[in-house]
Amino acid sequence: LRHLSEHPDFAWPDTVDRAGLERAIRIRDMEDAFVCPLLGLPEHTAYWAAADTWPSLRRIRAPTSIVVASDDPIVSPSSHPLEIAVESDHLLLIRTSVGGHVGWVEGAGRCL
């Protein structure tokens, strides 16, 4: 991300906290330094709250499949919406044992 923020065509050069990106160790550090400033959010917990789609699942009325992975390093299996899916006539929750966060990729751009 540091390289992206330094690219001459980057649209928001004064928005990103470059020093924060240099110090970033955890994903939340990167979110605080890069993502939140671009979205106008104060810090990572505000970003997480704004990005959380689970609360809206109860309002879904169209048939919807949700695929999650138990080995996702970012979204813990304990947060998967199992109860909501069981209660819903419109949701199918598919949980695989592997797949990671953006999942099920095999090799260079091949999805399983």
Side-chain angles (χ1 to χ4, degrees):
L1 290 176
R2 181 182 68 246
H3 299 296
L4 172 65
S5 71
E6 293 170 351
H7 191 278
D9 293 333
F10 185 67
W12 305 277
D14 298 326
T15 305
V16 173
D17 176 3
R18 287 193 175 94
L21 276 177
E22 293 290 335
R23 292 188 309 273
I25 295 171
R26 301 168 300 181
I27 290 175
R28 70 182 61 173
D29 301 331
M30 181 273 307
E31 291 168 342
D32 285 340
F34 191 83
V35 176
C36 293
L38 291 177
L39 297 175
L41 297 169
E43 42 82 42
H44 64 272
T45 58
Y47 170 61
W48 296 347
D52 186 1
T53 58
W54 293 160
S56 64
L57 294 179
R58 282 186 166 75
R59 295 191 308 269
I60 290 179
R61 295 294 174 253
T64 303
S65 296
I66 300 171
V67 182
V68 295
S70 294
D71 69 344
D72 187 329
I74 296 174
V75 180
S76 166
S78 65
S79 73
H80 293 167
L82 300 176
E83 183 179 305
I84 296 170
V86 168
E87 294 170 357
S88 175
D89 294 330
H90 308 289
L91 295 178
L92 171 64
L93 181 69
I94 303 164
R95 183 159 61 180
T96 64
S97 59
V98 296
H101 185 63
V102 293
W104 310 280
V105 176
E106 178 185 278
R110 292 181 49 215
C111 293
L112 300 176

